Amino acid sequence: MNRQDYNPLNDYLFKFVFGKEERKRITLSFLNAVLGREGRDELTDITFVDRELDPNFDDGKQSRLDVYGIASDGSKINIEVQLVNYGDMQKRTLYYWARMYQSLRKGEEYENLTPSITINLLNFRLLPQECPHNVYGLYDIASGHRLTEDLEIHFLEIPKFQVKSVKEMKRLEKWMAYFSNQLNEKETEELAMSEAAINEAIQAEHVFMQSEVERWQYEQREKALRDYISGMRHARRTGLAEGRAEGRAEGAEQAMLQSLRHLMEELSLSPERAMDVLHIPAAERERYLARLENNCI
């Protein structure tokens, strides 16, 4: 597959490239570009945190992926990928930031709280600003004084990125060009040559696409997203808004059951391995096993 033929913001592909210990140099390069860190201020390491530890951070929706870790300066960083505008992005990002910030154990002092940073990668326009990168903090409305640096929320709106010559791009613009996937083959090669971490990310994509299981997961996510968008358009056309949430939840579970069955039959995976592949939370696995045994597809 040519790179222009696939979506670098697909959640399975994104986590394969940016959420693996063996490729954290890619993630660090991206983070330093977004946060504007240079020289001695650069983040030099990140420890990824297993999202299964907190089900509030892993709801299995096809349009969101979390990459969450603790950086070398002690700050907690969460990267969110959102492909569809559900209309709740502002409240959603603040809620997840708050959950991440609440890290004190019994008896610890408030001074032990560390900065928490959320980076939202959006495949749609959300904010009124035309600039594709915007940063929010906690400020006094009248004076502009910043109360604390512990709250930092970034929005990267990929559709707002305007393609230009790779030679003219700054660090963050190169990463936005990578995610926008608007460059032709020659420009992509030039982009890869200009930034070692981007070149490594593109090579990781090739490895991903050569794996039958990984590529199948990618395709299922893309199909789920297309089906969701199609369903929402149909609902708007017919005015069937009532009961949408309940129907969507049941539809998502039916789709997951079909995916489980496919993995078990076509790729000869055990139910446990199939659920690992689909990242089904431990708390939900018994219910899925029961439905599989009862052929509830």
Side-chain angles (χ1 to χ4, degrees):
M1 293 178 67
N2 293 324
R3 187 169 192 272
Q4 288 73 24
D5 294 333
Y6 56 79
N7 176 18
L9 290 174
N10 175 281
D11 59 358
Y12 276 110
L13 176 55
F14 184 90
K15 187 165 187 176
F16 183 87
V17 176
F18 289 87
K20 300 291 186 180
E21 182 71 20
E22 63 268 25
R23 285 188 287 275
K24 63 183 177 182
R25 193 172 76 90
I26 299 174
T27 312
L28 287 167
S29 174
F30 171 65
L31 292 176
N32 283 318
V34 174
L35 303 178
R37 303 286 184 91
E38 295 181 325
R40 289 190 294 182
D41 290 332
E42 280 195 347
L43 301 177
T44 57
D45 197 10
I46 185 168
T47 301
F48 294 115
V49 179
D50 185 0
R51 306 321 306 271
E52 292 289 342
L53 297 178
D54 188 347
N56 287 306
F57 282 94
D58 188 2
D59 60 9
K61 291 181 179 176
Q62 75 273 13
S63 57
R64 205 193 87 243
L65 169 76
D66 294 334
V67 172
Y68 174 51
I70 300 174
S72 51
D73 65 351
S75 59
K76 295 183 287 293
I77 301 178
N78 187 30
I79 306 174
E80 300 278 349
V81 175
Q82 192 79 22
L83 301 182
V84 176
N85 186 359
Y86 292 105
D88 60 359
M89 191 66 218
Q90 293 90 334
K91 290 182 180 293
R92 176 196 292 263
T93 192
L94 194 58
Y95 175 80
Y96 283 114
W97 175 88
R99 292 286 300 172
M100 182 167 52
Y101 191 59
Q102 295 175 32
S103 58
L104 288 182
R105 292 183 170 85
K106 186 176 181 179
E108 285 189 310
E109 301 292 334
Y110 290 115
E111 63 184 19
N112 292 333
L113 287 166
T114 56
S116 296
I117 301 168
T118 294
I119 298 171
N120 295 303
L121 263 170
L122 307 181
N123 201 35
F124 54 88
R125 290 172 172 264
L126 176 72
L127 305 173
Q129 303 94 311
E130 282 305 310
C131 178
H133 177 214
N134 294 284
V135 189
Y136 288 80
L138 198 58
Y139 297 87
D140 173 59
I141 294 175
S143 68
H145 172 258
R146 189 172 186 179
L147 180 65
T148 175
E149 295 185 1
D150 281 9
L151 187 153
E152 191 171 326
I153 299 177
H154 295 252
F155 290 90
L156 299 177
E157 297 169 87
I158 302 304
K160 291 182 180 178
F161 174 73
Q162 299 294 320
V163 175
K164 58 183 177 180
S165 168
V166 173
K167 293 179 181 179
E168 298 176 1
M169 293 181 189
K170 298 178 181 178
R171 277 196 308 170
L172 181 55
E173 289 176 322
K174 290 179 180 179
W175 279 110
M176 296 195 76
Y178 164 85
F179 288 117
S180 73
N181 208 9
Q182 297 180 51
L183 305 184
N184 59 37
E185 187 174 347
K186 183 179 178 180
E187 291 168 332
T188 300
E189 289 179 4
E190 187 179 352
L191 181 67
M193 290 177 63
S194 73
E195 193 74 33
I198 291 179
N199 182 52
E200 190 176 342
I202 292 173
Q203 296 305 314
E205 291 175 349
H206 293 162
V207 172
F208 178 95
M209 287 300 176
Q210 289 171 2
S211 167
E212 183 179 358
V213 172
E214 301 287 7
R215 192 171 64 252
W216 182 86
Q217 292 179 114
Y218 168 92
E219 291 167 352
Q220 291 302 304
R221 286 305 201 203
E222 291 296 292
K223 179 180 181 299
L225 181 62
R226 290 193 300 269
D227 289 348
Y228 172 78
I229 293 173
S230 176
M232 291 299 288
R233 286 173 178 169
H234 176 72
R236 283 196 294 270
R237 286 196 301 266
T238 58
L240 299 177
E242 195 172 330
R244 180 183 298 163
E246 182 179 348
R248 202 167 84 192
E250 176 60 24
E253 185 160 309
Q254 290 290 342
M256 188 67 76
L257 285 164
Q258 290 178 353
S259 296
L260 282 169
R261 182 70 70 186
H262 178 90
L263 283 171
M264 292 163 61
E265 293 178 353
E266 300 298 326
L267 300 179
S268 300
L269 298 183
S270 68
E272 291 74 17
R273 174 57 181 148
M275 286 190 283
D276 287 340
V277 167
L278 294 172
H279 300 285
I280 295 177
E284 299 178 12
R285 295 193 174 196
E286 187 174 342
R287 184 178 79 254
Y288 277 106
L289 281 172
R291 296 198 65 175
L292 284 170
E293 290 175 359
N294 292 329
N295 294 317
C296 296
I297 301 297

